[in-house]
Amino acid sequence: MSLKVEQGEATRAALVDAAIALFTDKGFAETSTTEIVRRAGVTRGALYHHFADKEKLFRAAHEAIEKDIFQRARTVSETAEGGAVERLKAGADGFLDSCLEPAVRRILLIEGPLVLGWQRSLDFDNPYCARRLLRASVAELRPDEAPEPLAHLLFGALWQAGLVVAAAPERRVEMADALHHMIDNLFDG
């Protein structure tokens, strides 16, 4: 890899990291691009070289968080003992754990749908969305059914549980227990 490419990737990463920190602390609307470039230690020109506008930078910050959660939930799920139902519950637990983190709460759960729109939550195209993991689990557990409808319903329940946990961390265990009960009932686990 050339030095120029490495520098470009480092600049982009610094911008995303700065954006995550500022969007978490202040929110999308209250964060200026001036603050982002100052915190990242780059020029405004560097910002606009990598991102057309603040919304594109927010999308990159959102996707970085989503990717991290996806990878953690997948790892927890893949290493869980038991069958597919236990792996699904472990992945759900991993997601709920991440909802305790301020960046996940603010950027992913609260501001993501507002800034990026709800339509984004209806597709399976993003390679790092929880819906993909849920769809794979449903396909494994109910191979004779189309997995998307149930994956959407599970995603809705998981998302709502995440919102509850983000707003009231003391409810983490209660929400996990309810999700586990629902999953057991859906899949006769």
Side-chain angles (χ1 to χ4, degrees):
M1 179 181 311
S2 76
L3 180 60
K4 187 173 183 169
V5 171
E6 286 179 19
Q7 289 172 334
E9 288 177 3
T11 298
R12 185 181 192 287
L15 285 163
V16 171
D17 289 346
I20 288 171
L22 288 165
F23 292 147
T24 299
D25 290 342
K26 299 176 72 172
F28 177 78
E30 297 301 317
T31 298
S32 71
T33 56
T34 301
E35 292 172 294
I36 294 169
V37 297
R38 186 179 311 125
R39 183 161 188 151
V42 301
T43 64
R44 181 170 294 285
L47 169 67
Y48 291 115
H49 172 75
H50 291 281
F51 303 100
D53 56 28
K54 188 169 80 166
E55 184 179 318
K56 297 284 192 272
L57 178 55
F58 182 87
R59 180 179 302 274
H62 186 275
E63 288 174 358
I65 291 168
E66 214 171 26
K67 180 178 180 179
D68 178 56
I69 292 169
F70 177 89
Q71 290 171 333
R72 286 189 282 161
R74 184 179 61 194
T75 298
V76 168
S77 178
E78 289 173 350
T79 59
E81 292 187 20
V85 169
E86 294 307 313
R87 290 192 307 273
L88 177 57
K89 290 191 286 189
D93 287 348
F95 176 77
L96 291 181
D97 288 343
S98 72
C99 293
L100 297 168
E101 301 166 14
V104 172
R105 178 186 178 278
R106 183 85 181 248
I107 295 172
L108 189 74
L109 296 173
I110 297 171
E111 295 206 351
L114 299 173
V115 175
L116 303 176
W118 282 103
Q119 184 64 32
R120 189 174 189 280
S121 70
L122 300 176
D123 67 52
F124 288 89
D125 292 338
N126 179 348
Y128 300 111
C129 71
R131 290 174 304 284
R132 292 177 74 96
L133 290 174
L134 294 170
R135 181 176 59 185
S137 293
V138 170
E140 181 179 356
L141 289 162
R142 292 203 174 162
D144 296 333
E145 295 180 26
E148 280 82 7
L150 189 51
H152 278 295
L153 293 173
L154 285 169
F155 179 74
L158 187 60
W159 192 267
Q160 183 62 35
L163 287 169
V164 170
V165 168
E170 69 277 5
R171 297 188 68 191
R172 163 52 182 93
V173 172
E174 171 191 3
M175 297 312 296
D177 288 347
L179 275 172
H180 289 197
H181 183 70
M182 183 185 75
I183 290 167
D184 284 338
N185 285 326
L186 281 171
F187 300 110
D188 299 318

